[in-house]
Amino acid sequence: GMKELLAKNRETTTAAVTKKSTHYVYDSPYEKRWPGSKQPWWSRKIIPFNKYISESQQICFVHVGKTGGSTMGCMLGFSLHCDDHNEIKGLLPIATTHVFHRSINDCPEHAAYYLFVIRDPLARMLSDMNYERPNMTEANPFSKKFHTQELYQECDFWTLEDLAQKGLMNVNRDKHSHKCRQRANDALTGVGKYLTHGFFNYQFYTQSVFGTEDNKAESTIPENANLLVIRNSHMVDDYNTINEFLGGRPNVLSQEDIPVNNAHAKNATEMYLSKHSKIALCQTLCNEIQVYKDLLRRAINLNDADVKSSMDELKEVCPMEARERRCLERRPYIKRKIVYRKGELDGADGDDDEENE
């Protein structure tokens, strides 16, 4: 079984975590999809790839930005903004062999499971808006690949509250107001390249790995999906549950084992959202919220009590969207966006990512 296979290289795994510069070399699915491209350093494992695990047993970590995924990625043995590599806990880091982040999809064609770390969409976008805010003291503060200047500087959206009040809720009919209102909507729904992790959202990742990019199904996630989920607010419990599911020991991870990576200092202004802004933001994020709910419902490691707990938390943030199954706007059609990043369109080169993100 899985437990016996993983145990075969436990000693080499333990030894390797002390060598930060060591990346295990294996045949990268990403490099096979993009001949001539090199797999980014951050997507390679520092702990050894287990040669005894067949492709049909491998877990691919789908790293959705601003969910706590960098922290989890470090714990799984990847090089995602890691300050340090602590002791590997349990079997999950050994079984998780590949990563998919932004346009770098290094998942095997038929992974045994896809592992997501998730967070409610409003909290995720609040974090992303603050994280990607340009530092105007720098010589070149704006992204070269995403339209941050248009969003932050031209539209004066320096916080998510600004985006809601001056964008989504702005009823003025002048050209500038209309343009910025559209940018605010496109940034949140993932159809415009304004916020990196807004563009690479739950819809993008689920339709990419589960092959539902034609958008015909009610859900982006099949009912029988090979899906594992770690909830940001229940990280320890979910990690331990999955580790046991794989055949490992119970309670291998404690709260003290979790590092904090890729975080920045917060202030009250950037975290503030008014009541009316929350309503407008939740309404615009409705389709993302539906995907988030399906991630909860269709994760094979979450029981009914787990799902209810997270749904209750969501109701506190976006009550209407938590209750309803349909949204005012249809889910965006992003098939071209997905197949482009698979290399299936002429002119696609796979390079749509920041170098070290």
Side-chain angles (χ1 to χ4, degrees):
M2 176 72 80
K3 187 174 181 180
E4 288 72 24
L5 288 171
L6 299 177
K8 289 185 178 181
N9 77 338
R10 187 170 289 142
E11 289 184 5
T12 56
T13 296
T14 303
V17 296
T18 61
K19 300 179 181 179
K20 288 189 177 184
S21 61
T22 301
H23 294 92
Y24 193 85
V25 178
Y26 63 96
D27 292 332
S28 165
Y30 172 77
E31 292 180 356
K32 290 181 178 179
R33 294 186 187 106
W34 297 98
S37 297
K38 188 173 179 61
Q39 181 191 5
W41 61 268
W42 52 259
S43 66
R44 302 174 194 168
K45 296 207 72 169
I46 287 182
I47 66 172
F49 178 86
N50 193 313
K51 64 183 180 181
Y52 298 106
I53 307 176
S54 67
E55 183 174 309
S56 63
Q57 295 174 304
Q58 295 170 8
I59 298 173
C60 186
F61 171 44
V62 183
H63 172 25
V64 184
K66 310 320 294 179
T67 62
S70 292
T71 294
M72 182 54 59
C74 293
M75 294 165 60
L76 294 174
F78 295 101
S79 304
L80 292 161
H81 300 284
C82 304
D83 296 327
D84 198 4
H85 285 275
N86 300 322
E87 179 186 356
I88 297 303
K89 298 288 183 177
L91 302 183
L92 180 57
I94 306 172
T96 306
T97 55
H98 298 73
V99 67
F100 177 9
H101 183 46
R102 292 162 52 145
S103 62
I104 307 300
N105 183 353
D106 199 46
C107 290
E109 193 66 32
H110 302 289
Y113 302 103
Y114 296 97
L115 172 65
F116 283 71
V117 178
I118 66 173
R119 182 185 195 181
D120 87 69
L122 181 57
R124 194 177 84 86
M125 292 313 300
L126 178 62
S127 177
D128 192 27
M129 191 77 183
N130 294 331
Y131 177 72
E132 298 198 49
R133 183 185 302 109
N135 182 350
M136 301 305 290
T137 65
E138 295 179 354
N140 299 296
F142 301 111
S143 170
K144 294 179 180 179
K145 296 184 179 180
F146 285 80
H147 308 304
T148 54
Q149 183 170 8
E150 289 91 331
L151 191 73
Y152 287 90
Q153 188 178 57
E154 292 183 11
C155 289
D156 199 30
F157 297 161
W158 295 101
T159 66
L160 195 59
E161 176 73 7
D162 290 338
L163 184 144
Q165 292 287 334
K166 301 175 184 179
L168 300 177
M169 301 167 65
N170 185 346
V171 297
N172 294 332
R173 296 184 178 181
D174 62 279
K175 185 176 180 180
H176 179 77
S177 295
H178 174 76
K179 178 174 63 179
C180 288
R181 186 163 52 244
Q182 189 64 51
R183 287 176 182 175
N185 181 84
D186 292 352
L188 294 176
T189 58
V191 300
K193 294 181 67 175
Y194 296 103
L195 294 170
T196 310
H197 301 302
F199 185 73
F200 295 109
N201 57 10
Y202 290 133
Q203 181 188 354
F204 168 77
Y205 287 111
T206 54
Q207 289 190 326
S208 294
V209 299
F210 296 120
T212 54
E213 63 267 19
D214 59 13
N215 224 23
K216 294 180 180 179
E218 181 178 345
S219 173
T220 64
I221 307 168
E223 290 188 14
N224 60 346
N226 45 345
L227 169 66
L228 301 170
V229 161
I230 292 177
R231 298 164 293 166
N232 176 280
S233 55
H234 304 271
M235 194 170 284
V236 172
D237 290 341
D238 293 346
Y239 185 105
N240 286 330
T241 297
I242 293 173
N243 193 68
E244 277 196 84
F245 171 78
L246 295 175
R249 293 183 293 106
N251 302 319
V252 294
L253 186 73
S254 66
Q255 191 64 43
E256 292 72 28
D257 296 320
I258 299 179
V260 178
N261 297 296
N262 201 27
H264 75 284
K266 302 174 179 62
N267 61 64
T269 299
E270 68 180 24
M271 299 302 295
Y272 173 74
L273 291 174
S274 67
K275 177 182 177 181
H276 293 296
S277 291
K278 286 182 181 179
I279 293 172
L281 290 163
C282 289
Q283 181 176 315
T284 307
L285 287 167
C286 181
N287 283 297
E288 268 294 277
I289 292 171
Q290 303 314 310
V291 180
Y292 171 77
K293 288 157 61 176
D294 284 340
L295 283 163
L296 291 169
R297 293 183 178 123
R298 298 188 175 178
I300 60 179
N301 61 294
L302 300 181
N303 59 34
D304 291 343
D306 295 331
V307 175
K308 183 181 184 304
S309 174
S310 291
M311 287 297 293
D312 288 343
E313 293 168 3
L314 181 62
K315 288 175 184 176
E316 294 294 319
V317 180
C318 296
M320 184 176 295
E321 291 72 21
R323 291 192 304 268
E324 300 295 332
R325 292 302 302 266
R326 295 187 180 275
C327 303
L328 294 176
E329 300 292 333
R330 295 185 63 182
R331 187 169 64 222
Y333 184 75
I334 61 169
K335 183 173 182 178
R336 183 177 178 85
K337 168 179 168 179
I338 292 170
V339 299
Y340 181 94
R341 284 155 188 85
K342 289 182 178 179
E344 297 172 2
L345 287 179
D346 290 341
D349 62 2
D351 182 17
D352 195 28
D353 224 347
E354 298 293 342
E355 180 180 348
N356 61 352
E357 185 60 36

